[in-house]
Every structure is written in C-alpha cells, then in structure tokens.
Amino acid sequence: MSFKFLLPATLITIMVVFLTTLGFWQLDRADEKRAIEKAIEIANTGTVEIATSLEGLDEKEYYHLRLNGHYVSGKQFIYDNQIVQQTSGYYVLTPFVIGNSNKAILINRGFMPWRGQRDKLADIEVASSNTKIKIQVSIPVKRMELGESEIGSEFPILLQSLDLAEMSGLSGLTFAPVLGLLSPDSDSGFVRQWKPYTGSIGKHIGYAIQWFLMALVLAGIGIRLGLRHRKG
C-alpha cells in the first residue's frame, strides 16, 4: 500500500471519526436540555410547595416555592451591569430569613434602571415584618470578570459578580446556594421579567445533522479514493 494513499486515507478516517463524535455529542447535549425542560415542567405542575427550610433548595432549581419569613433590609446588595429591554441597570438582592436563624436566601427583587444617575439608587427599602412571598429557585452563575473589582463594606453593597461565600462573609448571614427570583405576584419588588428556560434543542439537533453530513461526505470521498487506488 503506497504512502500517497495511506496518508490521505488515514486523515480522512480520523476526520470521519471526529465529526461523527461531534454529532453524537450534540445529540447528548440535546438529551440533556430535554431532561432539563422536563424537570421544569414537573417542577411547575401542581400546587406551589411551601418551603419551611432552606436545606436542599439547590435540588429544586426552577421550582416555584412559597416562603414565610422576613427581609433583612439593612444587608442588601446591588448586582450591577444588567441589561433589561436594552436599558442598563441593576438587580436588587435582599436577604430573606425563614424562622429565627442566621440562615437566609437572597431574593432577587427585580431590575431597576440607572437612568443616567449611577450615584443615585432607587428607594430599595423594604419592611422587615413577617411576610409571605413566592419565588422561583435559580442557581446563580458567577460572572467572569476581566479584573478584580473593589467591593465596599457599606450596605447596600455594589457587586459586579455573585460570590455567595463572600457575600455571606460581608453580611454575617449564611446564604442558601441559590437565588430566589421574586414572583410578579409578590409585593415589594421591581421590574421582574424573568426569562423562561429555553434549551435550544433544535439547535443541537441541527448541529448534529451538520456534523453527520460532513462525516458522510468525507466517508464518500474516502470510498472513492479507495476504489481508485484499487483499480490503479
């Protein structure tokens, strides 16, 4: 078998295997997204559960829950650099305590625009009396920062990214490893237009078809090359 045939045949074989692997990887991603969508569907059917503890909330992502407790108005955070409907602003994150403990869940009470006045916050004060709220559980994702930002110590504290461990240290509260997205049905909130989860399953399937077609074309080229070599 000549080197002139062996080299391109090897390269084509490697590429066919690689492209086929990419295709199956995209199908796996589609299955993962399908499972998440199913979990959301299950989470949001039936009656809304009343959470009496903050334990295990990280296993209830996308679930709608009702909480009974009180806000800690003096320990609020301003989550900066947010865009809603092409308007820059911030999210207001307020600790919410269930029972008489130092354990809390951060409630995203919604979006407020800066309106060109970054030195002036909106009135974010909230009553600390006992209240009932409805939330959707969300797992926070730490945003990538180009450089280390300075964090003040005077509340409300301005943040560029979420680090719950650091925020716990600043507030003296132990935060659950989730955020609560305050429902538009609940009072004491701001603009709340939470985006529904979209798994883009069709996109992953489209990519898979693309990789499989490319592998098929290359395989055809390889077969044609082999037939020519055999005849020669």
Side-chain angles (χ1 to χ4, degrees):
M1 188 176 291
S2 67
F3 178 77
K4 290 179 66 176
F5 168 75
L6 187 60
L7 179 60
T10 302
L11 291 175
I12 287 173
T13 302
I14 291 172
M15 286 304 300
V16 167
V17 172
F18 176 67
L19 292 170
T20 303
T21 301
L22 283 178
F24 281 114
W25 176 71
Q26 288 292 345
L27 290 180
D28 287 341
R29 293 283 291 153
D31 286 339
E32 290 174 8
K33 298 293 180 67
R34 197 175 284 110
I36 293 174
E37 287 191 352
K38 185 64 177 177
I40 296 172
E41 182 183 344
I42 293 172
N44 295 326
T45 55
T47 57
V48 178
E49 179 183 344
I50 299 175
T52 57
S53 169
L54 297 178
E55 302 297 327
L57 290 187
D58 53 335
E59 298 176 359
K60 292 185 177 292
E61 188 175 14
Y62 309 115
Y63 276 62
H64 289 287
L65 301 174
R66 294 191 187 277
L67 306 177
N68 189 358
H70 65 274
Y71 286 111
V72 183
S73 184
K75 300 288 181 71
Q76 299 193 79
F77 296 89
I78 302 301
Y79 190 16
D80 198 10
N81 292 330
Q82 306 298 324
I83 303 292
V84 173
Q85 292 187 341
Q86 300 181 338
T87 301
S88 64
Y90 53 91
Y91 284 129
V92 179
L93 308 180
T94 309
F96 190 87
V97 175
I98 296 178
N100 299 316
S101 71
N102 67 336
K103 291 186 177 181
I105 176 175
L106 274 172
I107 304 299
N108 187 338
R109 295 200 287 134
F111 173 85
M112 283 297 293
W114 281 115
R115 303 188 191 280
Q117 298 179 306
R118 289 188 58 86
D119 60 337
K120 187 177 180 181
L121 283 176
D123 181 8
I124 63 171
E125 289 297 311
V126 61
S128 59
S129 56
N130 203 66
T131 187
K132 294 178 181 179
I133 62 174
K134 180 182 175 184
I135 65 164
Q136 183 177 26
V137 179
S138 173
I139 303 294
V141 178
K142 188 173 182 180
R143 189 162 58 188
M144 184 179 294
E145 293 183 274
L146 297 178
E148 193 170 327
S149 58
E150 292 186 9
I151 298 177
S153 57
E154 184 177 343
F155 287 94
I157 294 177
L158 189 72
L159 301 172
Q160 304 298 327
S161 67
L162 297 182
D163 186 330
L164 293 181
E166 185 176 19
M167 295 163 74
S168 290
L170 290 167
S171 65
L173 297 166
T174 301
F175 290 128
V178 298
L179 289 181
L181 306 181
L182 188 64
S183 169
D185 299 335
S186 295
D187 297 330
S188 302
F190 305 101
V191 178
R192 286 156 283 176
Q193 296 178 344
W194 312 124
K195 294 181 180 179
Y197 177 84
T198 53
S200 303
I201 294 173
K203 182 180 71 174
H204 289 295
I205 293 175
Y207 284 149
I209 292 172
Q210 175 183 307
W211 295 128
F212 287 142
L213 285 176
M214 291 174 67
L216 186 62
V217 170
L218 271 179
I221 293 172
I223 291 171
R224 187 174 179 182
L225 185 66
L227 292 174
R228 275 188 177 181
H229 178 75
R230 190 172 181 181
K231 289 179 181 179

